[in-house]
Amino acid sequence: MPAVSKVCCIGAGYVGGPTCAVIALKCPHVQVTIVDLNQDRIDAWNSPDYKLPIYEPGLKDVVRQARGRNLFFSTNIDQAIQDADLIFVSVNTPTKKSGVGAGFAADLKYVESATRRIAKVATSNKIVVEKSTVPCRTAESMRTILEANSRPNCRFDILSNPEFLAEGTAISDLFNPDRVLIGSLQTPDGIAASNALRDIYANWVPTDRVLTVGLWSSELSKLAANAMLAQRISSINALSAICEATGANIDEVAHAIGYDSRIGPKFLRASVGFGGSCFQKDILNLVYLSRSLHLPEVADYWEQVVIMNEYQKRRFTKTVVDTLFNTITGKHIAVLGFAFKADTGDTRESPAITLVKDFLQEKALVNIYDPQVEREQIWADLAEAMPSVPSSDIQKQVHITSSALECCRNAEAVVIATEWREFREIDWELVYAGMNKPAFVFDGRLLVDAQKLRGIGFQVTVIGRGERL
């Protein structure tokens, strides 16, 4: 199989955009074209001032170096497919909202649409790479579609190349990955296609970090990795509830158990809950897969990870209400952070959405500040979270602010929902002076110096820290 010289990526979102931008940077001899149906998104990728459609530290510098040289962004999907030797399919795979498997199974309509487009347009052999997170054996469906709709003498090899990026550190993850996983059919053609993709990554990734496995193992490994990481978060959050009830400190507990070399310290930081595009979706996908394979105990085990995450958010809301004298009706709550984690503008499954929805249902007045999330995104997320409430009513209760200080002004309570670094550096004395008294701080991200804030005059509640002596 000849070396890959032209790459196409269908989907210019959080995975396809950064991944293929880094491929272009590291492989100047390979032409990379990222395509998307969304003209506004492509225009943002092409913007003269590099106001990109997603925020990721380091991404702007990568695009600035490669764009126009061998990195291109376009809505001309058909041309990019025709030209490419290798095509990444990096489209959204949300959880189904209706029909069979609703609430658990992945909605693969975008994957199928992209696959049919490739089959219709391609006039030469292609390597088609699953980059989206998909259920196990999706590649089989893709191959069936491609073979049933392809032109004569046009062959397709299907690979699985799941991403293991953490938003906020995606560029450094791409520059120095723990591993790159490539799954293929264990046939001569499949192995040759796998080697062609491996050769691209070999331009900067050490060969011992490129793992080649069977197609189905690769697909399942992605779901398994996210499930295991989310499981650790739900486990430490479950322990945080015990800490609050007993007077233990979750920071100290996590530090102690993290010293065990069999456990390690990563993903043992308690919080108001996990979010993002992958964890919940992938676990629910695993639950659906287990049930479809008649493994109900396995399904129940993994579903409990999501149940625990939802419980953590509800428990935090209840703590706020109970502490504010059992009612927040008419009270001003400042929510600092709306992205699901720091260093990203992504709000998918963000715990802040659930918190704000719960506060609004309790008739509170909510101020929101996030340094990267656009106002339009916040309004859209709240409208989706509360479909039965008119947007005009939501906007009467919510005020989106342009700074942390403005957000906290005249509030009864401050809720830290995202661990943005700037929230560590807030002038809390100035915040206290501008708040109604008694002034409360609820730290859902283990961010503040509770003793310092108490010295200023705040009533402070930190997740996972019991006050019992």
Side-chain angles (χ1 to χ4, degrees):
M1 179 173 289
V4 172
S5 63
K6 292 185 178 181
V7 168
C8 163
C9 178
I10 302 177
Y14 277 89
V15 174
T19 299
C20 288
V22 169
I23 288 175
L25 179 69
K26 297 293 187 179
C27 306
H29 58 286
V30 176
Q31 178 179 308
V32 179
T33 304
I34 301 173
V35 294
D36 200 288
L37 289 170
N38 188 322
Q39 183 69 60
D40 290 341
R41 178 178 289 176
I42 293 299
D43 288 345
W45 281 110
N46 284 322
S47 61
D49 59 353
Y50 294 93
K51 188 173 176 56
L52 306 182
I54 61 176
Y55 173 76
E56 190 67 42
L59 177 59
K60 188 180 295 185
D61 290 336
V62 171
V63 174
R64 184 179 283 113
Q65 291 179 69
R67 196 178 73 186
R69 182 191 69 183
N70 66 320
L71 175 63
F72 305 94
F73 298 91
S74 173
T75 55
N76 192 341
I77 297 173
D78 291 353
Q79 187 64 54
I81 290 172
Q82 286 178 347
D83 292 345
D85 308 308
L86 183 147
I87 303 169
F88 288 106
V89 176
S90 186
V91 295
N92 194 19
T93 54
T95 302
K96 291 182 70 174
K97 294 184 177 180
S98 61
V100 176
F104 291 89
D107 187 343
L108 299 179
K109 63 183 178 183
Y110 301 117
V111 172
E112 181 173 340
S113 176
T115 304
R116 290 185 179 278
R117 188 81 170 256
I118 293 168
K120 178 182 178 181
V121 171
T123 56
S124 59
N125 297 342
K126 310 289 181 188
I127 299 172
V128 179
V129 185
E130 291 176 334
K131 200 66 182 172
S132 304
T133 301
V134 294
C136 198
R137 299 195 78 90
T138 298
E140 192 169 44
S141 302
M142 294 175 68
R143 186 175 58 171
T144 300
I145 292 169
L146 290 168
E147 291 178 351
N149 295 279
S150 63
R151 298 167 188 261
N153 303 315
C154 198
R155 195 186 80 250
F156 298 97
D157 293 298
I158 312 294
L159 300 177
S160 168
N161 178 218
E163 54 84 17
F164 296 101
L165 307 178
E167 289 185 39
T169 59
I171 299 303
S172 58
D173 293 343
L174 287 163
F175 282 175
N176 186 33
D178 290 335
R179 79 292 204 194
V180 171
L181 188 62
I182 302 174
S184 68
L185 291 176
Q186 300 303 292
T187 63
D189 287 340
I191 293 171
S194 174
N195 290 340
L197 181 55
R198 183 195 61 192
D199 289 345
I200 290 178
Y201 285 112
N203 284 277
W204 79 97
V205 180
T207 55
D208 62 345
R209 294 192 193 177
V210 181
L211 312 180
T212 54
V213 299
L215 200 49
W216 321 127
S217 296
S218 178
E219 290 179 330
L220 185 56
S221 292
K222 168 62 177 178
L223 300 182
N226 279 343
M228 296 289 281
L229 293 173
Q231 178 196 54
R232 286 174 68 91
I233 297 173
S234 280
S235 294
I236 202 68
N237 282 341
L239 290 169
S240 76
I242 298 176
C243 286
E244 291 171 28
T246 61
N249 183 319
I250 194 61
D251 275 339
E252 295 173 346
V253 173
H255 184 66
I257 65 177
Y259 261 84
D260 190 322
S261 60
R262 298 165 300 175
I263 299 173
K266 294 184 177 180
F267 279 76
L268 291 182
R269 190 167 181 83
S271 70
V272 70
F274 62 73
S277 63
C278 287
F279 280 1
Q280 178 165 308
K281 172 171 70 76
D282 289 357
I283 296 168
L284 294 175
N285 198 328
L286 199 58
V287 170
Y288 183 73
L289 174 65
S290 300
R291 288 196 175 129
S292 68
L293 295 172
H294 309 294
L295 301 170
E297 292 83 2
V298 176
D300 291 346
Y301 175 83
W302 287 114
E303 188 175 8
Q304 189 60 41
V305 175
V306 175
I307 292 171
M308 183 64 228
N309 193 52
E310 293 304 308
Y311 165 74
Q312 185 77 342
K313 290 183 280 188
R314 292 197 310 272
R315 192 172 70 84
F316 192 77
T317 298
K318 186 175 187 300
T319 297
V320 173
V321 175
D322 290 350
T323 305
L324 291 177
F325 317 113
N326 297 313
T327 180
I328 57 174
T329 299
K331 294 178 180 177
H332 290 80
I333 310 294
V335 176
L336 295 180
F338 202 78
F340 84 90
K341 63 181 287 189
D343 294 323
T344 180
D346 195 351
T347 62
R348 286 175 289 182
E349 303 296 342
S350 174
I353 298 173
T354 301
L355 295 180
V356 172
K357 180 185 73 172
D358 290 347
F359 296 154
L360 296 182
Q361 289 174 339
E362 292 285 338
K363 307 302 182 185
L365 303 172
V366 181
N367 294 341
I368 300 171
Y369 168 68
D370 189 283
Q372 286 297 331
V373 180
E374 300 288 343
R375 291 169 177 262
E376 294 76 11
Q377 186 63 54
I378 295 175
W379 292 128
D381 287 335
L382 294 179
E384 183 177 1
M386 307 179 72
S388 62
V389 180
S391 295
S392 58
D393 289 352
I394 294 175
Q395 293 183 17
K396 289 177 183 176
Q397 286 182 258
V398 174
H399 177 54
I400 301 172
T401 67
S402 56
S403 73
L405 288 176
E406 181 188 354
C407 186
C408 300
R409 192 173 298 127
N410 296 322
E412 274 80 14
V414 176
V415 172
I416 301 175
T418 309
E419 68 280 20
W420 285 103
R421 181 177 299 174
E422 73 171 78
F423 298 160
R424 297 180 186 272
E425 301 165 356
I426 292 174
D427 185 339
W428 285 105
E429 291 186 358
L430 191 58
V431 170
Y432 183 76
M435 288 180 64
N436 294 321
K437 310 298 187 296
F440 296 86
V441 172
F442 297 90
D443 184 359
R445 293 291 183 171
L446 302 179
L447 206 67
V448 302
D449 182 336
Q451 287 303 109
K452 178 181 176 181
L453 266 61
R454 291 187 181 111
I456 294 172
F458 286 103
Q459 305 290 317
V460 183
T461 300
V462 180
I463 201 162
R465 294 183 188 169
E467 299 305 321
R468 185 179 303 176
L469 298 178

